[in-house]
Amino acid sequence: MKTHLLFPLLLLFLTGFLAADTISPNEAKLKKDKLPKIKKENSVLLLKKSNFDRALKETEYLLVKFYVSLSQSSQNFSEEFAEAARQLKKEAPRIQFGKIDVTHQPDLRKEFNIQAFPTVKLFVNGSREDPIDCKGVRQASAFITWVKRRTGPSTVLINSTAQAEALIKADDLAVIGFFRELHNDSVEVFYEMARDVPEMPFGMTASEDVCADYSIQKNTLVVFKKGKPVHNEVLEDGRQNKLGLTRLIKTFTLDLVTEYNIESGTDVEPFVSQTSVKIFDVPVENHILLFTPTNSETFSAIYENYKSAAAEFRGQILFVLVDTNEGRNGRIFEYFRIRDIDVPAVRILNLTSDAKYKMPADEVTVENLREFCQSYLNGKAKVHLSSEEIPEDWDKMPIKVLVGKNFNSIVFNKSRTVFVMFYAPWSHDCRKLLPIWDKLGEQYNSREDVIIAKIDVTANDILSVGLARYPFFTLFPAGSDYQEVAYAGDYTLEAFSEFLEERSKTKAEPGEKDPLGGIKEDHSQKETVITEKEL
């Protein structure tokens, strides 16, 4: 080939190569348009692992609901979530709503550490790192308010008394922060707190005239209910924190005393009700419960005392009333070990530790309630434990019957391996397994080194054993170096037996006697915590 022809051919080749490897903006748009759109259901994006990253990149604010198979309460939640998505569709197109069924998307569930259902998180500017948790929001209006406050101002700036009055009258509840100036730590705390309380409108003002009209002289947060001030909280720089104020303000979404109304429960969730959903949305971990018949002659006096104490501890302890005449409340009676002869009864429950506390005094007076609550908050109240009496024939059958009073002395011994079934009489799963457990007891009845036992955990508080759900099985091996083992196999006679054979130890420590008839080891000083997770 001649030299003068080589250069044009080489130039033509390179030009063609570059053109094939370069995509113009119009071509890129056409290529993007060819991608299938992410499907929607009721204005909510249907997300999964394959399209989640794309949804993040195409959306400035993405509010995502992680869920599993729907219950009735979850269905109601989904309807409110979808309604919020529909209302914001035109008003705020930069905000999108999506949902992920984690049953079919385990990788996403693991990545975002989804433990409870439904869980809602807000993803900002396409980032998968540190999404913002949307907690305690269940109504469409609250979803809209919450996401708006996360994407814009969380409070309204008030410059006149007329503006303040309009805000106060717009809803049943409203909060206004009155400040001497709008550049201090208290204002920052107030502003951030408003983001997490979408149930009510928030305003702030530094107007001297507005503050004077409401007789406010210091930096103060005021809660208004139906147009009237119901709570004043003086805000001092460095004294308040966002969580404490959020707890306080959220309690105003409930009455001073909230009556517990059960609708349905499951074997895993005996403490679930329509009311309890609202109760648990308020971030206060200390709950006090009054068990009393609402039709008794003394109810009015007791209730007034209870309500008076509730006003003193608002934001620290939630006050709940349980009507003992309501048959559907039976599960909660069992959970707190309340009998007819005990009422009226008062208990405190800590949601974090699941520990229960019993008010020492029998009379429900303001003074006794105040002393009980303050003792609890000061860390001086003692955890309340309960136990059935030891049955006379507890060791006469193949299955030994344990209660709180004999549990430690039997299971924490060094001479025998003890396999225990923790059960609840009302549980269908437990009732179905009891006959199999009886057969296991018969199978090992002649073995002196093995004890097969059961304990009713609805009637006995058990120390040192964490109960995830009913039924629950734990093996306590023999020997000084024993370590209790939670059973996680199949619920069959063969599987129980195989597990027991593999784990049991027959070597007894020298000097130890039969725990059923001889010397028993004293475990009365064993430090333990109640960990009954049934909420």
Side-chain angles (χ1 to χ4, degrees):
M1 182 179 293
K2 293 183 179 181
T3 305
H4 69 278
L5 294 176
L6 180 61
F7 180 74
L9 288 173
L10 181 61
L11 183 62
L12 183 63
F13 171 77
L14 289 174
T15 303
F17 177 79
L18 291 173
D21 194 51
T22 304
I23 300 175
S24 69
N26 288 335
E27 289 173 327
K29 184 177 184 302
L30 287 172
K31 185 176 180 180
K32 181 180 178 181
D33 289 341
K34 289 181 180 179
L35 289 173
K37 291 185 178 180
I38 299 174
K39 293 181 179 179
K40 284 188 176 184
E41 183 178 86
N42 297 325
S43 301
V44 178
L45 298 172
L46 300 178
L47 302 176
K48 50 189 176 181
K49 184 179 179 180
S50 61
N51 66 15
F52 185 64
D53 194 53
R54 177 186 166 194
L56 288 176
K57 290 178 180 178
E58 294 178 357
T59 309
E60 186 176 355
Y61 298 103
L62 181 61
L63 193 66
V64 179
K65 176 187 69 173
F66 298 84
Y67 70 102
V68 291
S69 299
L70 299 178
S71 64
Q72 183 57 46
S73 59
S74 296
Q75 181 64 41
N76 295 337
F77 185 98
S78 296
E79 290 172 359
E80 295 291 331
F81 190 77
E83 177 60 21
R86 188 190 65 77
Q87 291 186 33
L88 281 179
K89 186 177 181 180
K90 292 183 179 180
E91 181 183 345
R94 63 182 185 148
I95 302 170
Q96 292 284 337
F97 285 58
K99 62 181 181 180
I100 297 173
D101 184 350
V102 296
T103 306
H104 306 295
Q105 305 296 323
D107 291 343
L108 292 176
R109 175 181 181 177
K110 182 178 180 181
E111 178 182 353
F112 299 111
N113 191 30
I114 306 301
Q115 303 292 331
F117 307 100
T119 290
V120 179
K121 292 179 180 287
L122 177 66
F123 296 83
V124 180
N125 293 327
S127 175
R128 326 170 65 106
E129 302 296 326
D130 299 320
I132 303 166
D133 286 318
C134 176
K135 295 182 177 179
V137 181
R138 296 182 179 276
Q139 302 298 319
S141 58
F143 278 119
I144 292 170
T145 302
W146 187 91
V147 76
K148 280 185 175 180
R149 289 181 184 172
R150 287 289 172 180
T151 59
S154 63
T155 67
V156 175
L157 183 60
I158 295 172
N159 295 313
S160 68
T161 301
Q163 283 182 292
E165 288 296 308
L167 180 78
I168 292 167
K169 294 177 180 178
D171 285 277
D172 283 349
L173 289 169
V175 180
I176 296 181
F178 296 85
F179 300 98
R180 299 178 68 180
E181 48 94 15
L182 295 179
H183 300 286
N184 58 51
D185 292 341
S186 293
V187 172
E188 284 297 314
V189 171
F190 181 84
Y191 192 84
E192 287 300 314
M193 184 229 1
R195 291 182 182 274
D196 292 332
V197 188
E199 293 89 349
M200 58 192 80
F202 279 72
M204 63 168 61
T205 184
S207 166
E208 293 183 4
D209 291 339
V210 176
C211 290
D213 286 342
Y214 287 92
S215 302
I216 303 295
Q217 297 179 345
K218 298 180 179 180
N219 292 343
T220 304
L221 174 156
V222 181
V223 181
F224 295 86
K225 188 169 186 177
K226 295 183 178 179
K228 296 180 180 180
V230 292
H231 183 80
N232 284 30
E233 186 78 12
V234 175
L235 302 177
E236 299 179 19
D237 283 357
R239 291 287 301 274
Q240 277 81 19
N241 62 70
K242 188 187 83 168
L243 180 58
L245 282 178
T246 302
R247 286 173 178 161
L248 174 67
I249 300 306
K250 282 239 180 188
T251 61
F252 286 94
T253 63
L254 300 171
D255 293 330
L256 263 178
V257 175
T258 303
E259 183 173 356
Y260 180 88
N261 293 313
I262 192 76
E263 285 193 348
S264 62
T266 67
D267 287 349
V268 186
E269 300 174 301
F271 195 41
V272 172
S273 75
Q274 191 68 16
T275 305
S276 68
V277 167
K278 292 176 63 178
I279 291 172
F280 293 128
D281 282 345
V282 177
V284 177
E285 67 174 3
N286 307 312
H287 292 184
I288 187 170
L289 298 96
L290 168 63
F291 296 84
T292 187
T294 57
N295 64 350
S296 69
E297 294 180 359
T298 59
F299 173 73
S300 294
I302 290 175
Y303 183 75
E304 287 304 314
N305 292 339
Y306 196 60
K307 193 161 67 170
S308 296
E312 295 185 32
F313 293 94
R314 185 187 280 276
Q316 297 175 288
I317 303 176
L318 280 183
F319 279 63
V320 181
L321 169 68
V322 182
D323 183 3
T324 56
N325 277 339
E326 173 55 70
R328 292 175 296 176
N329 289 340
R331 294 282 177 84
I332 194 172
F333 300 158
E334 286 186 352
Y335 182 75
F336 284 92
R337 322 293 195 246
I338 301 296
R339 302 167 299 174
D340 290 340
I341 61 173
D342 296 325
V343 297
V346 178
R347 301 286 188 271
I348 285 179
L349 172 70
N350 180 280
L351 298 186
T352 301
S353 67
D354 297 325
K356 309 181 193 77
Y357 301 79
K358 176 182 178 181
M359 188 171 75
D362 291 329
E363 291 187 41
V364 185
T365 64
V366 176
E367 292 74 18
N368 288 339
L369 288 165
R370 183 186 296 123
E371 184 177 347
F372 179 43
C373 291
Q374 201 59 61
S375 173
Y376 168 76
L377 292 174
N378 292 340
K380 296 180 179 179
K382 294 182 179 180
V383 173
H384 174 62
L385 305 176
S386 63
S387 171
E388 293 179 296
E389 294 300 321
I390 302 175
E392 292 184 3
D393 60 347
W394 71 272
D395 60 344
K396 299 297 188 279
M397 302 297 289
I399 299 295
K400 312 309 174 189
V401 179
L402 303 182
V403 295
K405 291 184 177 181
N406 69 353
F407 182 83
N408 285 357
S409 62
I410 300 302
V411 303
F412 296 114
N413 71 83
K414 299 178 182 179
S415 62
R416 291 192 179 189
T417 291
V418 185
F419 199 9
V420 182
M421 175 184 183
F422 300 84
Y423 74 99
W426 45 258
S427 166
H428 174 73
D429 290 340
C430 290
R431 292 196 299 269
K432 186 168 63 175
L433 285 170
L434 282 171
I436 297 176
W437 201 244
D438 287 338
K439 290 181 181 179
L440 185 69
E442 294 170 1
Q443 182 176 326
Y444 285 88
N445 195 33
S446 61
R447 288 275 295 270
E448 294 186 358
D449 60 321
V450 174
I451 296 174
I452 308 298
K454 65 181 179 181
I455 183 165
D456 178 358
V457 288
T458 68
N460 301 276
D461 284 310
I462 308 304
L463 300 179
S464 81
V465 177
L467 302 177
R469 60 161 295 159
Y470 304 136
F472 187 85
F473 302 87
T474 299
L475 184 77
F476 300 85
S480 58
D481 59 344
Y482 74 85
Q483 184 174 2
E484 59 194 58
V485 182
Y487 178 77
D490 294 333
Y491 291 167
T492 65
L493 181 61
E494 294 76 14
F496 285 133
S497 181
E498 183 179 345
F499 171 79
L500 186 54
E501 290 297 330
E502 289 177 356
R503 296 283 184 169
S504 62
K505 300 177 182 178
T506 57
K507 182 180 178 180
E509 293 293 313
E512 285 294 317
K513 293 188 178 181
D514 187 338
L516 296 181
I519 299 173
K520 300 173 183 177
E521 187 176 357
D522 181 12
H523 285 268
S524 60
Q525 302 302 315
K526 188 175 179 69
E527 289 288 335
T528 50
V529 178
I530 298 174
T531 56
E532 190 172 325
K533 300 186 182 301
E534 285 296 301
L535 300 186

